[in-house]
Amino acid sequence: IFAFSSIMRISNNNYNEEEKEYWSRWGKRIFDYSFQTHKLGCESCIAQVVPSEILDDYLATRKRNFEINKIYLEWQKEGFFDTLIFSKDDCAEYGFNVQEAKALEELGGFTKTGADEIPLTLLARAVTDVRKIKIAPIFLEPEYKDLISNYEDVSIEKSVKGQLELAGCEIVSEDDADILLYVNNFKNQQGEIVMKVGTEMFDGVWNVPEKLYMIADVRFANGSDNNFVEQIIAHELDENFYGYSAWNTSANTLGSLICSAVVKFLLKNIM
């Protein structure tokens, strides 16, 4: 049994489509309260701004969800799960969710940045029992691979490595790879299509590889880098092309892409 449970997220906005009603007014403040309290190591003064009944409800909900995750962890220790992942959805460098992840890790749990893609990553992990696939990550902006994506708490390099390892893949050099993973990563900061936050687009030259390859376009969250896409479609996509992904968070993009490529590779080379 491969299982996952999401650590309760903290959205950095005032949209309540997937949150409680009060998030439409207090969501960003609650995010800031969480971020600053963790970063400072003491309660942030933002607590004086958010109505106490709202903050109390939010913290009680967090505590309930955290206690449930600890129960799942006990089940794993009893042998109920082969793999159990605690996913960090809509994360940041600091926050209550980051603190909870660390606490679960200290109790023996395994945490992973990202959430929506986790079922696909676990599917890849299941099918790579047939054969461990060798993948070489290649960053188009290698000097910026230590930067942190929006909605995440680890660098884009660590995010890539984490997705590959959880998917049961082996990280190797270009020469030894079954598949090349090109990552169109960002300079300075990741853009955001939905929130209309720009960033410097890809200005290099895209050359079609001679080996099997896939492309994770994470220069923007929630969409593609159009400059990069124009270069890709200017070339004919041959049988070496194993997929392109650019949606939601960097982890979402990576996990779904890797799963698709893994399944395609096994179907073409093993079955």
Side-chain angles (χ1 to χ4, degrees):
I1 299 174
F2 288 179
F4 69 97
S5 180
S6 183
I7 297 171
M8 184 174 158
R9 71 178 187 172
I10 311 178
S11 299
N12 186 14
N13 54 55
N14 286 339
Y15 298 103
N16 70 346
E17 285 86 351
E18 298 177 325
E19 310 292 345
K20 295 191 178 185
E21 287 298 319
Y22 55 69
W23 210 262
S24 62
R25 181 174 179 184
W26 300 106
K28 184 66 169 62
R29 290 287 193 180
I30 294 173
F31 173 89
D32 292 340
Y33 168 72
S34 165
F35 187 99
Q36 294 299 333
T37 296
H38 180 196
K39 184 176 182 179
L40 296 172
C42 60
E43 186 172 59
S44 167
C45 63
I46 299 172
Q48 301 173 21
V49 178
V50 182
S52 59
E53 64 274 16
I54 288 177
L55 200 55
D56 289 346
D57 176 80
Y58 175 75
L59 294 175
T61 306
R62 288 212 69 88
K63 185 176 188 303
R64 179 200 63 192
N65 286 17
F66 180 58
E67 292 301 320
I68 291 172
N69 277 334
K70 287 198 292 184
I71 292 172
Y72 294 155
L73 185 55
E74 289 303 312
W75 289 358
Q76 183 187 32
K77 292 177 179 178
E78 294 169 6
F80 190 78
F81 304 120
D82 296 288
T83 298
L84 172 63
I85 306 298
F86 293 108
S87 58
K88 294 180 281 185
D89 188 19
D90 274 6
C91 216
E93 189 174 3
Y94 297 98
F96 295 142
N97 46 358
V98 179
Q99 289 179 308
E100 289 170 10
K102 184 176 180 180
L104 289 168
E105 289 169 356
E106 291 173 349
L107 292 171
F110 182 82
T111 67
K112 180 75 194 64
T113 299
D116 300 48
E117 80 289 349
I118 296 295
L120 293 172
T121 308
L122 291 178
L123 172 60
R125 186 180 183 87
V127 299
T128 49
D129 281 348
V130 177
R131 173 184 167 182
K132 187 173 285 291
I133 298 174
K134 299 177 181 179
I135 297 180
I138 302 170
F139 294 88
L140 299 187
E141 306 288 356
E143 64 273 30
Y144 296 98
K145 63 184 180 181
D146 61 333
L147 297 180
I148 298 175
S149 302
N150 300 337
Y151 315 111
E152 299 194 0
D153 63 332
V154 297
S155 70
I156 184 61
E157 181 180 27
K158 289 182 178 179
S159 188
V160 169
K161 182 179 178 181
Q163 290 289 340
L164 289 171
E165 290 177 343
L166 183 57
C169 300
E170 181 180 353
I171 301 173
V172 298
S173 65
E174 292 183 45
D175 292 337
D176 296 330
D178 295 314
I179 309 173
L180 304 177
L181 168 57
Y182 285 91
V183 182
N184 182 32
N185 56 309
F186 46 91
K187 297 180 180 180
N188 302 317
Q189 69 170 10
Q190 187 180 36
E192 226 289 3
I193 299 294
V194 173
M195 303 299 177
K196 299 181 180 179
V197 177
T199 193
E200 184 176 341
M201 293 187 178
F202 178 73
D203 60 359
V205 176
W206 169 252
N207 296 309
V208 179
E210 295 182 359
K211 298 185 72 168
L212 303 181
Y213 71 98
M214 54 179 159
I215 302 170
D217 187 355
V218 299
R219 196 165 289 248
F220 288 84
N222 287 307
S224 298
D225 173 358
N226 289 341
N227 283 12
F228 184 54
V229 171
E230 286 176 3
Q231 288 210 39
I232 294 173
I233 62 178
H235 298 83
E236 183 176 350
L237 298 177
D238 59 18
E239 61 184 11
N240 286 337
F241 176 66
Y242 264 51
Y244 167 92
S245 185
W247 68 282
N248 237 2
T249 69
S250 294
N252 296 164
T253 285
L254 288 160
S256 55
L257 174 69
I258 291 166
C259 179
S260 298
V262 162
V263 171
K264 181 175 180 177
F265 181 88
L266 290 174
L267 285 171
K268 291 176 71 68
N269 294 279
I270 302 297
M271 301 302 181

